[in-house]
Amino acid sequence: MGRARGANALLVGKIESSYGVAPAETEWNQLPFVSSALSGENALIEDDSLGQGREPFDPILGPHNATGDLTVPVDVRSFGFWLKLFFGAPTTTASGYASGGWTFSDQPSTGSTITVNGVTFTFRSSGASGDEVNIGADLEATMTAVAAALNASADPDVAEATYAGTATGVTVTHDTAGLAGNDFTLAASATSNATVTGATLTGGTMSHVFTSGSYALPSAALEVAHPELAKPYHPHLGVMANTLRISHQRSGLLNAVLGMVAQQETDPSASSLATSPTQRALQRFVQARGEVQLAGETLANVVSAEFSYSNNLDVLEDVRPDGLIGGADPGMAMAGGNLVMRFADHVLFDAATAGEPVSVTRRWTKGANSLAIATPRLFLPRFKRPTEGPRGLQFTANVLAAKPSSEAMVTATLINDVASY
């Protein structure tokens, strides 16, 4: 066996049914991570006995503590697992409609075909019937005829979508929002002169809305693996999410730092708690494609921003024979962060001076996927505006969120192609 290396480390996780109890070995998730300081420890307590000379007796092991930070990528799919730990189960609904189509470089040849969700349509010079389409006087006329034939089809597999002709192609939009449309297939023969957007429609998405303020939060089992070791698996049980910090700037990788509190790290094992964990394709949100919105409009002149959230977990340090904590209860939630901006107007300064809250949303997008973290009632202090040289003036405003009368203090909306969390 070799020496453990971070390059080969793996992290898997699953929501627990009962706090601190290892869940069943199926339906675990393999989770991307950047670094982990989550680990168990028992500090040594020096013996204070006297009467046996100047040299001390043996120390004893103190209680077990398992805390630390996890740094994870803010990505399209796996980040929902962490949001569930911080806010509880989301409200999930179907949102985006899958779409795709064909682009034609020229008129299709007689006898060439396109295939729609397994149903083949053939191009004819004239006399088309059934699943056939007449080639028109020009390409636009042919595209109109294709769309008309597909929209008129009585085949239930074809009727799942709506079709529209353009000057050089046909667009396909699935009629049902959500993930079902992502399995709708498209194809074309070589002599059709058509290029397909993909083997299936894409862009059917689900919207997962996480809100702060839940009285009860889930716990998770996490297992870090170092394959080089004889006992590679290091399980952590009763893991709860305490603090969250996301820094947002123009460049670099978008990561989140998660402060975690676990009941215990069990002894290393030669066998894993998880069998065939699900590995979702990693697609990171990009710093350069993010924005900070003020009342729904992009806020200009933002140099950097940070979002922070805390569940202020109240750790139950009760007396028990195993030396573990008894649990961690959610305390008073807190959300805030900061905004670093160039001084170009008095919009935020006036709001701070008046003591009026503003609505701020931090948002990142990647194709049809997005993450938006909204704080509808955010307060700013009256902040300093130093002049420190010939360059542009810049200020830092540390912000605090509060609960509106009819909304949550924080709402995180993750839109992706995951069915549920």
Side-chain angles (χ1 to χ4, degrees), residues 30-109:
Q30 185 168 323
L31 302 165
F33 73 111
V34 176
S35 64
S36 173
L38 177 62
S39 188
E41 62 178 354
N42 293 76
L44 291 175
I45 301 175
E46 295 182 13
D47 188 272
D48 60 358
S49 302
L50 301 177
Q52 300 294 326
R54 294 178 54 240
E55 296 178 328
F57 288 95
D58 293 346
I60 62 172
L61 286 176
H64 185 76
N65 293 304
T67 61
D69 287 348
L70 276 172
T71 301
V72 302
V74 180
D75 75 312
V76 167
R77 300 178 178 91
S78 294
F79 196 62
F81 177 88
W82 305 112
L83 290 175
K84 184 174 181 177
L85 282 181
F86 276 97
F87 300 114
T91 299
T92 298
T93 56
S95 54
Y97 293 82
S99 62
W102 302 268
T103 299
F104 287 74
S105 60
D106 202 348
Q107 287 273 44
S109 300

Side-chain angles (χ1 to χ4, degrees), residues 282-295:
L282 176 61
Q283 285 185 280
R284 300 178 76 135
F285 289 111
V286 181
Q287 291 269 28
R289 296 294 179 267
E291 64 176 326
V292 178
Q293 296 178 337
L294 178 67

Side-chain angles (χ1 to χ4, degrees), residues 104 106-114 121-125 133 135 142 189-194:
F104 287 74
D106 202 348
Q107 287 273 44
S109 300
T110 299
S112 63
T113 63
I114 58 172
F121 286 77
T122 305
F123 290 101
R124 299 298 184 196
S125 57
V133 181
I135 299 172
T142 302
S189 66
T191 55
S192 68
N193 295 317

Side-chain angles (χ1 to χ4, degrees), residues 267-279:
D267 292 336
S269 173
S271 58
S272 174
L273 294 177
T275 298
S276 301
T278 299
Q279 183 176 6

Side-chain angles (χ1 to χ4, degrees), residues 237-259:
L237 302 179
V239 181
M240 297 194 68
N242 190 27
T243 59
L244 167 64
R245 188 172 74 253
I246 302 175
S247 295
H248 186 188
Q249 54 194 16
R250 184 172 180 268
S251 62
L253 297 173
L254 185 62
N255 293 324
V257 180
L258 319 176

Side-chain angles (χ1 to χ4, degrees), residues 151-167:
N151 284 321
S153 175
D155 192 302
D157 292 326
V158 179
E160 292 180 7
T162 299
Y163 309 86
T166 68

